[in-house]
Amino acid sequence: MTSHARLGEACFSKVDKISGELFTLTYGALVAQLVKDYESHEEVNKQLDHMGYNIGVRLIDEFLAKSNVPRCRDFRETAETIAKVGFKMFLGISPDVGAFNQDGTACNIIFKDNPLEDFVELPATCKELKYSNILCGIIRGALEAVSMRVDAQIVGDVLQGDERTEIKVELKQMIEDEAGEDYHED
């Protein structure tokens, strides 16, 4: 077991938990309502991403406070921390990380199990729906809150017939301190 996996297990044992079925069914009801409210699945995907972004911006504070993870040295370590500590802490799962590009600035998070997809079958009319798109937004929001602008998108989806659900995460830029000169200490 890697150090990230051990830390993920330790964090998971400390956090409050809710029923997995309740969580899954509540998320399903949310997605179903969005599908009813919006004309296109593309708009539903945007709304899920936007909701996830807002969740991620807030979730990172709890993650940093409760996990005591040290500062990540690079994007590769950040991806491992997200997969093995963050997802374990909040969803009880430990996805794999792979398919890093040569620069180490892009990878895929590969889900062997995704609790959001339990009990879900999408009708044929939902081919464009990215059911777990909220996870992409959560990743983007959390990383932006710690000064990493990333793009996250679903590149494989079990609910759409793929072998597994995968999210591609690509580092776009490190965000510099945006405080004005008046706010810097001497």
Side-chain angles (χ1 to χ4, degrees), residues 84 94-96 110-114 158 164-165:
K84 301 299 183 193
S94 295
D96 292 325
I110 305 153
F111 295 83
K112 296 170 277 198
D113 185 31
N114 180 354
V158 168
R164 56 191 176 216
T165 298

Side-chain angles (χ1 to χ4, degrees), residues 15-39:
V15 296
D16 295 331
K17 295 164 188 69
I18 65 166
S19 163
E21 286 91 11
L22 175 63
F23 175 72
T24 300
L25 295 173
T26 302
Y27 182 73
L30 169 75
V31 174
Q33 188 62 49
L34 288 172
V35 168
K36 287 179 186 174
D37 290 348
Y38 291 95
E39 293 182 18

Side-chain angles (χ1 to χ4, degrees), residues 55-72:
I55 291 168
V57 167
R58 289 163 181 77
L59 212 56
I60 192 68
D61 290 331
E62 183 174 354
F63 173 77
L64 293 172
K66 291 184 177 178
S67 70
N68 295 317
V69 295
R71 185 174 187 90
C72 296

Side-chain angles (χ1 to χ4, degrees), residues 35 38-46 125-130:
V35 168
Y38 291 95
E39 293 182 18
S40 73
H41 291 132
E42 184 177 318
E43 187 60 34
V44 173
N45 295 337
K46 287 180 186 176
T125 58
C126 292
K127 286 293 180 197
E128 301 300 316
L129 180 64
K130 296 178 180 176

Side-chain angles (χ1 to χ4, degrees), residues 3-23:
S3 63
H4 284 102
R6 280 192 300 277
L7 184 55
E9 287 291 336
C11 291
F12 182 67
S13 69
K14 294 178 190 174
V15 296
D16 295 331
K17 295 164 188 69
I18 65 166
S19 163
E21 286 91 11
L22 175 63
F23 175 72

Side-chain angles (χ1 to χ4, degrees), residues 24 113-121 131-132 156-159 165:
T24 300
D113 185 31
N114 180 354
L116 297 180
E117 298 171 343
D118 290 347
F119 316 118
V120 177
E121 287 185 32
Y131 188 83
S132 296
D157 190 344
V158 168
L159 297 177
T165 298

Side-chain angles (χ1 to χ4, degrees), residues 52-179:
Y53 180 87
N54 290 330
I55 291 168
V57 167
R58 289 163 181 77
L59 212 56
I60 192 68
D61 290 331
E62 183 174 354
F63 173 77
L64 293 172
K66 291 184 177 178
S67 70
N68 295 317
V69 295
R71 185 174 187 90
C72 296
R73 295 181 306 263
D74 56 21
F75 183 73
R76 183 177 297 265
E77 188 174 352
T78 300
E80 286 290 334
T81 300
I82 291 168
K84 301 299 183 193
V85 184
F87 276 107
K88 183 65 177 185
M89 184 173 173
F90 293 111
L91 289 179
I93 59 173
S94 295
D96 292 325
V97 181
F100 275 95
N101 66 358
Q102 213 170 14
D103 299 334
T105 58
C107 67
N108 288 2
I109 297 177
I110 305 153
F111 295 83
K112 296 170 277 198
D113 185 31
N114 180 354
L116 297 180
E117 298 171 343
D118 290 347
F119 316 118
V120 177
E121 287 185 32
L122 294 179
T125 58
C126 292
K127 286 293 180 197
E128 301 300 316
L129 180 64
K130 296 178 180 176
Y131 188 83
S132 296
N133 212 41
I134 198 166
L135 297 175
C136 296
I138 290 170
I139 292 167
R140 280 188 329 98
L143 290 180
E144 193 162 310
V146 293
S147 302
M148 298 178 92
R149 186 160 291 127
V150 300
D151 180 41
Q153 57 184 313
I154 294 177
V155 294
D157 190 344
V158 168
L159 297 177
Q160 298 293 353
D162 295 320
E163 188 176 313
R164 56 191 176 216
T165 298
E166 290 187 47
I167 296 176
K168 180 177 182 167
V169 182
E170 184 175 3
L171 177 65
K172 293 298 185 182
Q173 81 178 89
M174 295 299 295
I175 302 169
E176 299 298 322
D177 180 15
E178 294 180 1

